[in-house]
Amino acid sequence: MNNTDKWLNLRHSIKSCQKCEGLNSKELGTENAPGYGNTNSRIIFIGQSLCGKPCIEAQIPFTGGSGKLLDLAFEQANIEKKDIYITNVVKCHPDGNRKSEPHEIANCSPYLEKELSWLSPKIIICLGKDAWTHINPTVSRPCVKTMHSANSVTHVHFVYHPSFIMKKPKAVREEYIRNLSKVIVEANT
Ligand code: SF4
């Protein structure tokens, strides 16, 4: 299977997935969106679960809402969102914006594992607890860790989810955007 086909197959598996009761339902407004962007990106963002209507309609994670903070970081880093890879631990939108259930995270994790094994990022940005836990269950606060594999070294930044930062004062939001943009620039140099 060539590179394009494997990504198309993954996309199809996610779009037709019915592993979690009540999720990926048009009627219930819990549809999913697969990862979005450049599969050759040197930096990938992992969020917790898909946002509601704007993300479902656009089929792009982090559309509108707290995703605006990421948009500002991309702008500062002089890069377009389509040139970065962005995905979620849980590809569906949990009804009422609730937290994902452990079984939903477990059901969806194989998709993220596939994405991670096919991408070869220099930097991973984990946004929020569910993303932190997926990559490193011992992480309980923002930090940076290095992951070594046979042929590569990946720096993983465990940072707060932008929806948490949205509620903070302007100076905190600006610092968050500035820090993210610096990491994006670093990944691409
Ligand atoms: S959350 Fe993931 S595993 Fe569950 S139905 Fe949605 S796509 Fe499938």
Side-chain angles (χ1 to χ4, degrees):
M1 194 186 303
N2 70 34
N3 208 31
T4 307
D5 285 349
K6 75 180 184 187
W7 282 102
L8 284 174
N9 278 355
L10 176 62
R11 193 176 173 82
H12 180 261
S13 301
I14 292 169
K15 287 308 297 172
S16 58
C17 184
Q18 289 295 316
K19 284 196 240 175
C20 307
E21 197 180 340
L23 293 189
N24 205 15
S25 158
K26 203 181 249 309
E27 294 69 40
L28 299 175
T30 60
E31 280 171 80
N32 66 27
Y36 165 84
N38 178 3
T39 55
N40 292 315
S41 176
R42 305 193 75 192
I43 181 163
I44 68 173
F45 282 71
I46 306 172
Q48 302 193 118
S49 56
L50 191 71
C51 83
K53 211 172 168 205
C55 292
I56 292 171
E57 285 181 358
Q59 284 293 287
I60 300 174
F62 289 102
T63 297
S66 66
K68 286 181 192 153
L69 291 188
L70 302 189
D71 292 340
L72 289 168
F74 302 149
E75 198 179 310
Q76 271 191 25
N78 202 21
I79 195 161
E80 291 188 44
K81 189 173 183 177
K82 69 175 176 52
D83 294 322
I84 280 175
Y85 191 84
I86 305 179
T87 191
N88 281 301
V89 174
V90 166
K91 312 298 187 210
C92 289
H93 171 62
D95 41 289
N97 237 4
R98 62 170 171 77
K99 282 178 169 229
S100 300
E101 297 287 346
H103 73 277
E104 294 165 346
I105 293 173
N107 287 347
C108 219
S109 287
Y111 298 133
L112 180 57
E113 282 309 305
K114 260 194 185 153
E115 291 170 292
L116 290 171
S117 70
W118 293 344
L119 298 158
S120 42
K122 187 172 160 189
I123 292 178
I124 298 175
I125 310 268
C126 295
L127 301 164
K129 197 80 176 33
D130 290 347
W132 298 2
T133 304
H134 182 93
I135 299 293
N136 186 332
T138 68
V139 170
S140 58
R141 60 196 158 112
C143 61
V144 182
K145 290 192 180 288
T146 304
M147 290 193 330
H148 294 267
S149 66
N151 307 315
S152 64
V153 175
T154 306
H155 299 289
V156 187
H157 294 248
F158 298 87
V159 304
Y160 287 121
H161 193 275
S163 61
F164 174 74
I165 300 296
M166 282 288 265
K167 299 172 198 140
K168 299 288 175 192
K170 190 173 175 214
V172 176
R173 297 198 304 271
E174 286 179 348
E175 190 188 4
Y176 181 83
I177 293 163
R178 206 164 39 246
N179 287 340
L180 281 182
S181 73
K182 271 191 213 155
V183 178
I184 296 166
V185 169
E186 182 193 325
N188 289 296
T189 49

